[in-house]
Amino acid sequence: MTETDRAPRPLRALTIAMFKGFVRDRMTLFWAVVFPLMFLVLFGGIFTDQGASRAEVLVVGDVALIDDLPDEAREGIEEALEITRSDDLDDAVERVRKGDADAVLTQDGDEVVVQYSQADQVTAAQVQGTLRAIVQETNTAVYQGQTGEAPRFALSTEQVEDDSLKAIQYVTPSLLGWAVAMSATFGAAVNLVVWRKNGLLRRLRLAPIRTSSVVLARVGVSLVVALIQAAIFIGLGVFAFGLQLSGWWFLAVPLLLAGTLSFLSIGMLAGSVSKTDEGAVGLANFVVLPMAFLSGSFFPLDGAPGWLQAVSQALPLRHLNDGMLDVMVRGEGPGAIVLPILILLGFTVVLAAIAARLFRWDA
Amino acid sequence: MGARISVQGLTMTYGSHTVVDDVSFTVEPGEFFGLLGPNGAGKTTALEMIEGLRKPVAGTVDIDGHDPWKREPALQRRIGVQLQASSFFERLTAVEQLQTFGAIYGVGKARIADLLEEVGLSDKADSQVEKLSGGQKQRLSIACALVHDPEIVFLDEPTAALDPQARRNLWDVLRGINDAGRTVMLTTHYMEEAEILCDRVAIIDSGRLLEMDTPQALIRGLDVPTRIALAPDAARLDDLRTIPGVEVATADDGGLQLETHDPAAVLAELARREALEGLSVSKGTLEDVFLHLTGREYRA
């Protein structure tokens, strides 16, 4: 009988072998980690600069709303608006029309008039929101002054930023979702095809291990890779691009794990129907790239038509992205991850069942 | 050590095409058994059914009382398989491949250095499989099949696609596997390989077992004449035809060829006539057996 030196550890051995195979493959590392990071740097860089530039508001004539503000309130406003004086109303409006300035502010009696261009909706919204807040605060202050209480000028511009998340706040969770979707899908698909093609699956079938060990090893490797991706993305976002995480951000971890499972099952499906690794990569790309666009990984879907929104609800990445945005930057709590996780696990069960039916040991 | 493999009425069909047709044989413990036949003869399919990779359409496989198709871990630990393809974990070194297979079977790292030595890969221990040559990959895959010291070893075309020198080197390794008392079953389309390595050979063509015996007995059983070749100017063809025992004498650009069933007498007469220039003598080979059995030339 065979001499047994120690307890067989097939799951551990397979996981280690798979992980080594992954980290030694420069191409896979590039596509799974470096490529999505390039997008983060690109998007983070481009839109962070844009987000930092303040809206330029031209004030024509006497505008008591601005002129009478106390110093600390003015500082608050100037974080969001760059206020410039102008004497010529027509010239000011023309500058807004050309896009050199964002809005013109005048006051006619008690009415404050804002003229802005719809060309840049985000900035327009920012200007409107800020000014509306000032008007409200001022009204309250006047009212409180009449009732004898101390007027409080506590002007906050957060309201405006929250309505449309700063770019890095949006792209970090969304691009992370895409990165995890890519590495999990490609990893499973290529792994399955390569092992089937080179006969390793058949070889393992004749070894004293369960089929589930092979699958679980892949799951383990992909989960670890997803966590590494999350650490890199969030670390880079926070330290290089000023990403501000809200309190429950670490709930992104269970979301990512559930997401990884559903992308793994997509990958298994692609790997089961593909004959070559090139075919598996192509199929995975064909699924993941449109899914990333439709799930808002690259840009928000707020402006997309209704039918596109509906399609997007049928994609697991959409639910992962929504959940991660909620807990990482929108300040929502544990309640926000329950539904996305259930949906992601549902995708996993259905897709894995189909993949298992189509699974083949042999080429 | 060693196990008995009993195959009864083994049959496999793909649609209406019968790939393995009612094949029966028994491999004794410690025997080196070869399935010999041209490509597409059904050897690999037969071996895969015996290993437990395919379920036979009809017939049974019995390895020491176990059905390999049931994938019983206890039986799988006694079996070592080397598949036709180079089935490795990508980007792992030779040592890591063996460690991984070892851990799957629950054996420690102690044997790994010895195994690499045994297959002549000690200097490639830390090379990734992608960097190994064809012959080195074959050696490594044999080492992977032996990592848990199995009683039975299945080798599917272990020397396919190797150059003649690498093939001969590998034969020493394969002999060593069997010397340790293991039952070894090998498929090959190289006649010479089967003749040199195997205790017994089953000749398979178009899915059917044509003949089975020791290589020597198979050749002896044939009434194949001994061929004697001479240099073109060693003698005159007409003179050679007069030698008693010479059945056929022909000449071509390569020289003179004689066929005889009494080589001793013919050679003695050639020596007496001092007509031995460029002499070479060849007796029958398994190729002759194949030709005899199928009526057509053997083409691997």
Side-chain angles (χ1 to χ4, degrees):
Chain A
M1 206 41 226
T2 306
E3 175 193 350
T4 302
D5 306 9
R6 60 179 189 196
R9 294 170 128 175
L11 181 55
R12 187 167 169 268
L14 285 176
T15 309
I16 293 172
M18 256 182 215
F19 192 74
K20 282 181 178 166
F22 171 80
V23 295
R24 285 177 192 173
D25 183 6
R26 293 211 191 100
M27 281 307 282
T28 311
L29 272 186
F30 175 80
W31 291 112
V33 180
V34 181
F35 187 58
L37 272 181
M38 285 165 53
F39 274 71
L40 183 71
V41 172
L42 212 63
F43 285 12
I46 294 170
F47 296 126
T48 302
D49 287 350
Q50 200 180 62
S53 74
R54 296 168 296 173
E56 194 178 343
V57 177
L58 302 171
V59 177
V60 181
D62 291 334
V63 180
L65 183 72
I66 301 292
D67 299 340
D68 297 347
L69 281 175
D71 286 347
E72 60 266 40
R74 183 185 294 275
E75 273 174 31
I77 290 166
E78 284 182 351
E79 273 182 21
L81 306 180
E82 184 183 345
I83 294 165
T84 313
R85 294 275 164 193
S86 174
D87 299 325
D88 186 343
L89 180 61
D90 292 341
D91 176 58
V93 172
E94 185 60 26
R95 282 175 67 188
V96 170
R97 190 166 288 141
K98 282 182 180 164
D100 294 339
D102 296 302
V104 173
L105 195 62
T106 51
Q107 188 163 9
D108 184 12
D110 282 343
E111 193 181 7
V112 178
V113 180
V114 186
Q115 298 178 62
Y116 59 89
S117 162
Q118 273 288 359
D120 185 349
Q121 296 185 8
V122 176
T123 312
Q126 188 183 349
V127 172
Q128 285 183 74
T130 309
L131 291 173
R132 191 169 292 128
I134 300 171
V135 171
Q136 256 170 23
E137 288 286 333
T138 310
N139 288 346
T140 314
V142 170
Y143 175 72
Q144 282 170 336
Q146 285 170 349
T147 57
E149 285 176 40
R152 287 186 302 124
F153 287 97
L155 187 66
S156 163
T157 53
E158 277 175 13
Q159 204 69 40
V160 178
E161 283 181 345
D162 257 17
D163 278 351
S164 62
L165 287 171
K166 258 169 92 178
I168 192 67
Q169 303 287 93
Y170 183 84
V171 297
T172 309
S174 315
L175 287 176
L176 175 57
W178 171 55
V180 167
M182 277 220 303
S183 62
T185 309
F186 282 60
V190 172
N191 201 166
L192 188 57
V193 173
V194 168
W195 284 20
R196 189 170 57 225
K197 247 175 67 180
N198 76 6
L200 192 57
L201 276 184
R202 284 148 48 94
R203 177 67 186 78
L204 291 174
R205 201 182 177 199
L206 293 179
I209 55 169
R210 294 195 194 97
T211 310
S212 59
S213 297
V214 183
V215 178
L216 283 178
R218 185 67 241 173
V219 171
V221 169
S222 289
L223 292 182
V224 169
V225 170
L227 292 179
I228 294 172
Q229 288 174 310
I232 295 175
F233 267 73
I234 295 173
L236 200 68
V238 168
F239 295 112
F241 297 114
L243 168 70
Q244 290 182 327
L245 294 169
S246 55
W248 290 94
W249 67 272
F250 47 85
L251 288 179
V253 172
L255 272 168
L256 278 173
L257 299 185
T260 304
L261 292 180
S262 64
F263 303 132
L264 270 175
S265 55
I266 294 178
M268 294 272 182
L269 197 54
S272 292
V273 298
S274 305
K275 287 196 169 66
T276 64
D277 37 346
E278 291 87 355
V281 167
L283 189 56
N285 248 327
F286 184 74
V287 174
V288 173
L289 204 57
M291 176 169 78
F293 274 102
L294 291 175
S295 301
S297 273
F298 302 115
F299 43 79
L301 289 175
D302 301 339
W307 64 269
L308 213 58
Q309 302 265 14
V311 171
S312 127
Q313 291 295 330
L315 303 169
L317 183 54
R318 170 67 195 265
H319 299 278
L320 175 63
N321 284 345
D322 282 356
M324 288 209 297
L325 281 169
D326 280 350
V327 294
M328 285 173 70
V329 295
R330 284 184 185 137
E332 295 203 31
I337 66 167
V338 176
L339 190 60
I341 284 184
L342 286 178
I343 293 172
L344 289 169
L345 294 180
F347 272 109
T348 307
V349 170
V350 173
L351 292 171
I354 300 172
R357 295 213 67 161
L358 297 174
F359 179 82
R360 287 166 296 145
W361 289 94
D362 287 51
Chain B
M1 202 64 179
R4 178 176 280 103
I5 304 167
S6 175
V7 174
Q8 288 298 323
L10 200 61
T11 302
M12 176 59 96
T13 54
Y14 294 134
S16 60
H17 184 51
T18 303
V19 192
V20 176
D21 191 357
D22 194 21
V23 168
S24 302
F25 57 81
T26 301
V27 181
E28 297 300 329
E31 194 175 12
F32 201 131
F33 188 85
L35 286 178
L36 173 68
N39 283 331
K43 311 181 296 284
T44 296
T45 308
L47 190 71
E48 284 175 348
M49 288 189 281
I50 297 165
E51 289 168 336
L53 272 177
R54 285 178 200 277
K55 190 173 166 57
V57 169
T60 57
V61 178
D62 178 303
I63 301 177
D64 270 5
H66 300 274
D67 175 1
W69 178 249
K70 289 182 180 159
R71 296 179 66 201
E72 297 166 55
L75 177 65
Q76 289 179 324
R77 285 198 185 88
R78 299 171 61 192
I79 296 177
V81 279
Q82 187 258 336
L83 298 173
Q84 208 163 13
S86 292
S87 317
F88 297 115
F89 295 95
E90 61 273 31
R91 290 176 291 281
L92 258 54
T93 66
V95 163
E96 288 169 336
Q97 303 283 348
L98 290 169
Q99 285 171 350
T100 306
F101 278 110
I104 287 171
Y105 286 91
V107 295
K109 299 176 182 179
R111 265 176 58 80
I112 286 172
D114 293 344
L115 257 178
L116 283 171
E117 179 76 46
E118 201 178 319
V119 299
L121 280 180
S122 297
D123 55 330
K124 294 286 173 189
D126 296 319
S127 300
Q128 292 186 15
V129 279
E130 285 79 4
K131 302 216 165 66
L132 299 181
S133 71
Q136 290 165 341
K137 279 185 189 164
Q138 295 284 24
R139 287 158 183 276
L140 181 59
S141 82
I142 289 166
C144 287
L146 299 177
V147 74
H148 55 297
D149 196 14
E151 296 168 55
I152 312 156
V153 180
F154 293 108
L155 305 164
D156 195 3
E157 310 243 354
T159 64
L162 296 188
D163 59 67
Q165 184 57 47
R167 188 178 309 143
R168 279 187 175 76
N169 292 343
L170 200 57
W171 287 346
D172 293 333
V173 174
L174 298 179
R175 264 198 216 97
I177 296 173
N178 183 236
D179 288 346
R182 299 184 179 101
T183 306
V184 181
M185 199 168 161
L186 160 118
T187 67
T188 182
H189 59 254
Y190 294 113
M191 294 281 181
E192 196 188 357
E193 183 165 298
E195 219 170 317
I196 287 173
L197 290 175
C198 297
D199 296 324
R200 276 193 309 150
V201 175
I203 297 175
I204 291 189
D205 189 42
S206 305
R208 283 199 305 278
L209 196 158
L210 302 179
E211 195 85 36
M212 179 170 58
D213 210 327
T214 65
Q216 298 75 16
L218 285 171
I219 295 161
R220 249 198 331 268
L222 283 178
D223 203 18
V224 181
T226 300
R227 292 194 187 87
I228 299 170
L230 297 169
D233 50 0
R236 284 180 51 230
L237 198 60
D238 291 342
D239 290 345
L240 293 176
R241 288 193 173 119
T242 63
I243 297 174
V246 170
E247 292 145 27
V248 182
T250 55
D252 61 28
D253 294 347
L256 308 164
Q257 273 92 33
L258 308 177
E259 288 186 12
T260 176
H261 278 85
D262 191 1
V266 172
L267 284 170
E269 180 61 20
L270 285 173
R272 201 186 61 77
R273 297 184 184 188
E274 294 183 355
L276 291 177
E277 196 189 339
L279 174 74
S280 76
V281 181
S282 60
K283 59 183 180 57
T285 65
L286 280 180
E287 294 188 37
D288 296 311
V289 177
F290 187 84
L291 179 67
H292 174 75
L293 291 172
T294 64
R296 60 188 165 86
E297 203 84 46
Y298 183 84
R299 279 177 206 283

